[in-house]
Amino acid sequence: MNILDRLLLLVLSMLVAIFSFLFIFLPLPFLSSQYSEMLRRFIFESNGMILISLILLLLSLRFIFKITSSSTNSYDYVSKETEMGEIRISFNTIKTIALSNIRNIGSIKEAKIQVSNEGGEVSIVVTASFAIGAVIPEISKEIQRNIKETIERTAEINVKEVVVFVDDTNNSGKRRVG
């Protein structure tokens, strides 16, 4: 959600909150009849209320359409066009390919992978726990190179970047990659 949408959502929320309070306090007996009558006229008889209602309606419709359209545009796969048709490779497949490469590296205790699609190229974030004494820069470069080469070779997907995030080096538990 961009900044404009966040600002509009804030305005919508504030207007809904204000009018909710007005409608809650309108029928209560502790409100003087003068204020109660003024609120009733403003709510039911003024042109300002029509304008505010239209603004609320437009903002609500914008967010309804934004929510429904963003759910259909978020892809959990990378699409490739061939002369025979379309090939869709899921993020889970890309994760499995990447994890199969990491299993061969002995100094990794645990690893998790996140994949994102950026215009037909994938970005991969590897969060890994290394064994004590592992040479982190050397192993990280090996992870990056292996993942990039294997995914580009097996899935023919361009890998924009492979980011390695070292989470822990004092993990002495069982080895778990997945």
Side-chain angles (χ1 to χ4, degrees):
M1 212 187 261
N2 61 23
I3 294 174
L4 176 65
D5 287 335
R6 289 176 192 242
L7 183 63
L8 290 174
L9 187 58
L10 175 67
V11 169
L12 175 69
S13 300
M14 289 174 59
L15 287 172
V16 167
I18 289 168
F19 284 103
S20 296
F21 281 121
L22 288 177
F23 284 124
I24 289 171
F25 289 119
L26 188 63
L28 294 177
F30 65 82
L31 196 60
S32 73
S33 61
Q34 179 185 7
Y35 292 121
S36 180
E37 186 60 33
M38 185 179 70
L39 281 175
R40 277 194 189 95
R41 281 191 193 148
F42 176 72
I43 292 171
F44 297 114
E45 298 175 8
S46 75
N47 291 334
M49 189 53 138
I50 294 172
L51 180 65
I52 291 172
S53 298
L54 283 173
I55 291 171
L56 287 174
L57 177 65
L58 291 174
L59 287 173
S60 299
L61 289 175
R62 174 181 170 88
F63 289 113
I64 289 170
F65 287 126
K66 187 154 185 86
I67 288 170
T68 56
S69 68
S70 68
S71 64
T72 59
N73 288 336
S74 64
Y75 300 109
D76 289 341
Y77 59 86
V78 177
S79 179
K80 302 282 289 178
E81 288 293 327
T82 66
E83 58 275 349
M84 305 278 287
E86 182 181 26
I87 299 172
R88 294 180 181 175
I89 302 172
S90 72
F91 285 179
N92 287 335
T93 303
I94 296 169
K95 287 179 188 179
T96 303
I97 293 169
L99 285 171
S100 67
N101 281 311
I102 292 175
R103 286 190 177 110
N104 299 331
I105 300 172
S107 298
I108 298 176
K109 293 293 186 182
E110 183 179 352
K112 294 179 184 172
I113 294 181
Q114 295 175 336
V115 180
S116 62
N117 186 5
E118 297 176 9
E121 294 182 323
V122 294
S123 292
I124 299 170
V125 177
V126 179
T127 305
S129 297
F130 288 63
I132 296 174
V135 181
I136 294 172
E138 188 176 301
I139 295 171
S140 297
K141 288 176 189 174
E142 183 180 353
I143 290 170
Q144 290 172 320
R145 185 179 57 255
N146 285 352
I147 289 176
K148 181 175 174 56
E149 289 173 359
T150 304
I151 290 175
E152 287 180 346
R153 181 175 23 92
T154 59
E156 293 183 359
I157 297 172
N158 292 331
V159 178
K160 180 180 178 182
E161 65 181 350
V162 178
V163 177
V164 177
F165 176 71
V166 180
D167 189 34
D168 189 12
T169 57
N170 296 325
N171 189 355
S172 60
K174 289 185 178 180
R175 180 181 168 134
R176 200 177 109 211
V177 178

